[in-house]
Amino acid sequence: MRHLLSAADLDRTTAIEVLDAAAQMAATQAREIKKLPTLRGRTVVNLFFEDSTRTRISFETAAKRLSADVINFAAKGSSVSKGESLKDTAQTLQAMGADAVVIRHPASGAPHRLAHSGWVGTSVVNAGDGTHQHPTQALLDAYTIRRHLTGTTANPDGVGNDLAGLRVAIVGDVLHSRVARSNVQLLHTLGAEVTLVSPPTLVPVGAEAWPCSISYHLDAVLADQQPDAIMMLRVQRERMGGDRTGATGFFPSPLEYTRSFGLDSRRLRMLPDHAIVLHPGPMNRGLEISAEAADSPRAVILEQVANGVAVRMAVLYLLLAQERETLA
Amino acid sequence: MSSGPALPDAVPPAEPVGGSGGEAAGAEVLGQPEIARALTRIAHEVLERNKGAADLVLLGIPTRGLPLAQRLAARLAEVEPGLDPTAVAGSLDVTMYRDDLHKHPTRALGATDLPAAGIDDRVVVLVDDVLFSGRTIRAALDALNDLGRPRAVQLAVLVDRGHRELPIRADYVGKNLPTSLAEKVRVRLVETDGVDSVRIDGGAR
């Protein structure tokens, strides 16, 4: 594995290998001294052309816990605002000796371009591009689901397991969600049955070809399928336009969206007892998820954040802790 | 992103390789009874040197140090009544502390599992199958440094094949095995490979 650009790049064996490595990384994060010397002398650049809190901090923490040097680059306040191109920016960073570039970009495909254009010789990790892919988020979701639903007393992290037979519902704004796209691919690769639940206006064209089923009715899915895990997606209103009343071209009003697709206490009670609630964050409390659901013991949302560090440590380890020559 | 077992030593042409195959080539230097006798002797030496099993922790280095540590702990428990072998044995993965990570394909990470009482102010005996360059042990010492402060650290190995690259020696040795760098020492254990044997393969023969 040279780059991590898409959840579709990971086959079942590789995905389980990443999750198992993440389990060992997570174990080291319970120690008093959390820092490992593994990537000493390597440099990781966080190249963020789009706002992000948890993903950037998570990658930064992961790299630092492995002793890599971290350079944070945010497009705001940089020469990008003077019109510097992605190519020139990336080559500048390469000249400063970066070994890996973690990139988030509003344009779908920007990480792929960076990895395959020959501009730079570094490993490229996609930290979210447009409405395309966010593979490390899918990995941390899969890790969280695996730990909670396949873990046993003897094997609390579910090391070596896949997600065969588990039912996962992904609910909400699928159209704008790279998290949903990556999760559908990765969870399917790992053997889970994925159902997308969304208003028809927020189902992307071509989604019927994805390896999942699609429903427009959350209550019916909860009652009939009894999902083992439910993932609420953020309604990405910054990508929807809309007026001051909250109405958009995608749904008539926030209240109507909440009534049809929000996870409230009634829907929480419809879930089976072992089911967990995920959300990639940041949450719109009161819109796609009620405060009661977000703060319930079934919500593993903060654990997702903690697991994100372990998963990103595993990805950086697997990409960087190998022959330097092959990276040239 | 392929990965082999966490191999005990560093230099490629001479590392013990797990699994079956290559049965015909080479010579068996230790069989099941010899390995059992060596471990029994080491167990007694550990007890003698440390005047009992109080404060002892046996940390096996994955992959094959771990079953060796568990066997040693079971033998200690036979001699020292009241000793719980599961409370003495643990594992210490050193992969993330190696200095040769970039020379190999990515290694799978093993588990680090310390006994509940921890290692602070206790006597840690590192257990590995083959002592070769000494780099694995250096990595293990670094890893221990991040986990606590043992009162003393000792080293037990099943086979010492020489060719050290660092000033490291073993306190307890199952068998000293003079080898050439071209030879491979293959340790196989029942727990990991289904059979107990130490063989030397390859080299001028």
Side-chain angles (χ1 to χ4, degrees), chain A residues 113-135:
Chain A
R113 181 81 176 135
L114 193 61
H116 296 294
S117 59
W119 296 338
V120 293
T122 60
S123 290
V124 176
V125 182
N126 183 355
D129 59 334
T131 57
H132 178 220
Q133 283 282 328
H134 193 353

Side-chain angles (χ1 to χ4, degrees), chain B residues 2-205:
Chain B
S2 71
S3 54
L7 298 170
D9 269 305
V11 178
E15 46 198 5
V17 179
S20 53
E23 203 63 51
E28 182 168 279
V29 282
L30 295 179
Q32 190 272 329
E34 289 87 358
I35 290 176
R37 276 196 290 270
L39 287 176
T40 305
R41 175 174 53 76
I42 290 174
H44 283 93
E45 285 176 2
V46 169
L47 289 173
E48 198 174 32
R49 164 93 75 102
N50 296 294
K51 301 183 177 63
D55 292 340
L56 270 186
V57 178
L58 302 177
L59 292 183
I61 298 174
T63 306
R64 291 185 185 73
L66 180 55
L68 289 175
Q70 286 161 344
R71 290 192 202 179
L72 275 177
R75 281 170 167 79
L76 293 184
E78 283 169 18
V79 186
E80 295 281 305
L83 185 75
D84 176 9
T86 56
V88 176
S91 67
L92 178 70
D93 184 58
V94 305
T95 313
M96 287 183 276
Y97 294 84
R98 303 194 72 98
D99 59 4
D100 56 356
L101 278 172
H102 59 277
K103 291 186 185 156
H104 295 274
T106 318
R107 293 163 183 264
L109 301 175
T112 291
D113 184 19
L114 301 183
I119 59 169
D120 285 338
D121 292 318
R122 305 183 76 185
V123 175
V124 170
V125 181
L126 296 172
V127 184
D128 204 357
D129 53 354
V130 181
L131 179 58
F132 183 18
S133 65
R135 288 180 190 268
T136 302
I137 306 305
R138 184 208 61 82
L141 292 172
D142 281 355
L144 277 184
N145 206 21
D146 279 359
L147 290 168
R149 186 181 183 281
R151 181 154 56 81
V153 182
Q154 299 168 358
L155 173 61
V157 295
L158 183 60
V159 173
D160 181 350
R161 62 165 297 187
H163 305 288
R164 213 77 74 242
E165 296 166 8
L166 294 168
I168 282 171
R169 63 165 177 76
D171 299 85
Y172 316 102
V173 179
K175 182 161 179 68
N176 280 300
L177 213 55
T179 56
S180 86
L181 278 171
E183 289 167 325
K184 282 187 186 181
V185 176
R186 303 172 59 128
V187 173
R188 291 187 291 169
L189 298 173
V190 170
E191 292 89 334
T192 51
D193 315 284
V195 61
D196 273 351
S197 102
V198 179
R199 310 177 67 89
I200 298 186
D201 291 350
R205 162 187 320 270

Side-chain angles (χ1 to χ4, degrees), chain A residues 171-190:
Chain A
V171 185
D173 181 0
V174 176
L175 180 63
H176 299 105
S177 178
R178 51 200 175 209
V179 175
R181 286 166 176 78
S182 288
N183 262 307
V184 166
Q185 287 168 342
L186 184 68
L187 296 177
H188 172 75
T189 303
L190 289 169

